[in-house]
Amino acid sequence: MAAPRLMAEELSRSRAEARGMLVRLLGAALLLGSAALAAQFGLAGLAAKWWLGDVRATGALRVSAFGMPWMAVSAVLRGFFIARRRVSPNVVSQLAEQTVRIGAIWFALSRGAALDVGGKCTAVLAATALSEAVSCGMMALFYRQEAVSAFGSGPARRPADDPAKRLWEILWPVEGGRCLASALHTAENMLVPACLTVYLLAAGGRSAAVAQYGNLKGMALPLLTFPFGLLGSLSVLLMPEITQAHIRGEKKRLSALLDRMLRLTGYFSALAGAVFWVWGGPLADLLYGENGAEAGFYLTVLGPAMPLMYLESMVDGAMKGMGEQKAVFRYSLWDAVLRIAGVMLLLPRFGMRGFLFVILLSSVYTCLANTGRLLRVSGVRPAVWRWLGAPVLAAAVSAAA
């Protein structure tokens, strides 16, 4: 998040200072990535035993830690290319990463049939760490080709505005928010099966609870978020444009960018929601066979909420592009707290239907809070009909047809 924003700022000012900013970002990435590696590797045993409640996860946590430094450096280099409006290096490296990951996982699981569950999880996450290293290597090769055209042949120079302070102002709310949200989501992921177990005492207990939660998290939600891949790419590419328009005070350009982003998101997400609402059941049956009935129900229920989910994600990226990461941090914190409270109150009484209600309520809150803040900060006048009303009407007509 910090790399594309800071690089976009420096590239619009000075090539030498932009090179100096990139050097400092890479140093911070190596430091943070190495610290994450050491912490996760050292605490893996305790985390597996006390947080996950399964010591078999120890090996998986330890081996996945070796991917952390590669992920951190790749994030900075991807931010550099995004700031340069260069899409192809990120696309090629991520395709290579996924190809290596899938191939390595297939090889490890096909050759490791005798492994226990813990060994198989360790093999899967070892493949993930390997794919991160390959992706980082490819990004470094692309950077070598791009460096001269981006920075010229001159030496790096320290940016005039304190780079450490600017980096910290982005890092602490974004990373602090993610760490806190991760901790709260971990608590949620532990509470959901426990509360579902209370509801399902007469119908299988914990095993049935874990199966239902797995159907939602592992089967239904990946399908719901799959179409967002297209919009997510747009959000990443828009961030440097929004940042520059905001810094330069170009209110008309900023308003046009935000209006187009929100309108496109509304139409795309409403159409995707209509597709899942109408064809969620048959799609789950096609992909998952006899195990897809429950996932199909989740798709049908959550499909109409996709405009709120997608709008919230797009607005989140736009706000961070405008330096509103502290507001995003506050809203995500309150959202996580409300979700945990909803899980504890509703799941023991209503089961998965209560959890679906919690997801819908969370989407409404985060979408309204983030969008309201974005409009206030940017000065853009709300156009509910253009951004949500007309797309929902078009989606309703499509669903009826």
Side-chain angles (χ1 to χ4, degrees), residues 29-46:
L30 276 174
L31 178 64
L32 293 172
S34 300
L37 187 159
Q40 182 163 316
F41 189 90
L43 297 173
L46 292 174

Side-chain angles (χ1 to χ4, degrees), residues 4-308:
R5 181 162 177 221
L6 294 176
M7 290 305 301
E9 292 177 1
E10 294 303 327
L11 286 169
S12 63
R13 295 170 180 163
S14 164
R15 300 170 87 184
E17 292 183 7
R19 187 192 287 272
M21 177 60 78
L22 183 62
V23 169
R24 285 160 176 78
L25 287 170
L26 287 171
L30 276 174
L31 178 64
L32 293 172
S34 300
L37 187 159
Q40 182 163 316
F41 189 90
L43 297 173
L46 292 174
K49 182 178 180 180
W50 297 108
W51 293 352
L52 302 181
D54 194 334
V55 294
R56 294 175 299 177
T58 301
L61 288 174
R62 281 184 177 149
V63 76
S64 66
F66 288 97
M68 298 292 188
W70 303 110
M71 291 169 65
V73 172
S74 293
V76 171
L77 294 176
R78 287 196 176 104
F80 161 73
F81 283 111
I82 290 167
R84 291 272 295 166
R85 281 69 161 179
R86 293 268 283 114
V87 179
S88 55
N90 292 349
V91 173
V92 172
S93 67
Q94 289 182 0
L95 285 174
E97 175 187 331
Q98 295 293 339
T99 302
V100 171
R101 175 181 290 135
I102 291 170
I105 289 174
W106 174 83
F107 180 81
L109 295 184
S110 62
R111 294 299 180 91
L115 294 173
D116 60 6
V117 172
K120 289 178 178 178
C121 289
T122 300
V124 167
L125 289 184
T128 299
L130 173 65
S131 67
E132 295 289 354
V134 171
S135 175
C136 183
M138 292 193 65
M139 293 296 295
L141 292 175
F142 281 120
Y143 169 72
R144 286 192 63 184
Q145 299 174 355
E146 186 83 8
V148 174
S149 62
F151 305 125
S153 57
R157 190 168 68 240
R158 184 181 185 278
D161 296 334
D162 186 359
K165 179 182 177 183
R166 291 159 61 197
L167 177 60
W168 178 248
E169 287 176 349
I170 298 174
L171 272 188
W172 85 257
V174 173
E175 191 63 21
R178 286 193 175 178
C179 288
L180 186 57
S182 179
L184 292 172
H185 288 156
T186 300
E188 178 186 314
N189 289 334
M190 295 166 63
L191 280 171
V192 170
C195 294
L196 271 179
T197 301
V198 175
Y199 179 77
L200 296 170
L201 277 177
R206 183 169 177 81
S207 61
V210 172
Q212 287 191 11
Y213 193 45
N215 283 335
L216 175 65
K217 286 281 188 173
M219 297 166 73
L221 287 182
L223 286 178
L224 287 172
T225 55
F226 177 75
F228 187 74
L230 296 173
L231 284 179
S233 302
L234 173 66
S235 174
V236 169
L237 292 172
L238 274 177
M239 184 186 293
E241 301 287 346
I242 290 173
T243 297
Q244 288 187 349
H246 179 64
I247 289 173
R248 295 169 179 171
E250 299 171 348
K251 293 187 176 180
K252 288 186 177 179
R253 180 165 171 252
L254 179 62
S255 177
L257 284 170
L258 294 177
D259 177 76
R260 185 168 297 181
M261 179 193 77
L262 294 170
R263 193 149 42 107
L264 177 62
T265 303
Y267 276 104
F268 182 86
S269 60
L271 177 60
V275 169
F276 283 115
W277 186 61
V278 175
W279 288 324
L283 180 60
D285 290 339
L286 176 66
L287 292 175
Y288 304 126
E290 60 183 15
N291 299 317
E294 190 174 343
F297 169 72
Y298 298 148
L299 291 175
T300 303
V301 172
L302 295 177
M306 287 179 70
L308 295 175

Side-chain angles (χ1 to χ4, degrees), residues 286-336:
L286 176 66
L287 292 175
Y288 304 126
E290 60 183 15
N291 299 317
E294 190 174 343
F297 169 72
Y298 298 148
L299 291 175
T300 303
V301 172
L302 295 177
M306 287 179 70
L308 295 175
M309 296 178 181
Y310 284 20
L311 275 172
E312 187 272 327
S313 297
M314 294 293 285
V315 169
D316 180 282
M319 287 180 66
K320 289 170 181 172
M322 296 175 60
E324 287 295 313
Q325 54 271 1
K326 294 179 184 178
V328 175
F329 171 73
R330 288 197 305 272
Y331 299 145
S332 63
L333 173 61
W334 280 111
D335 175 55

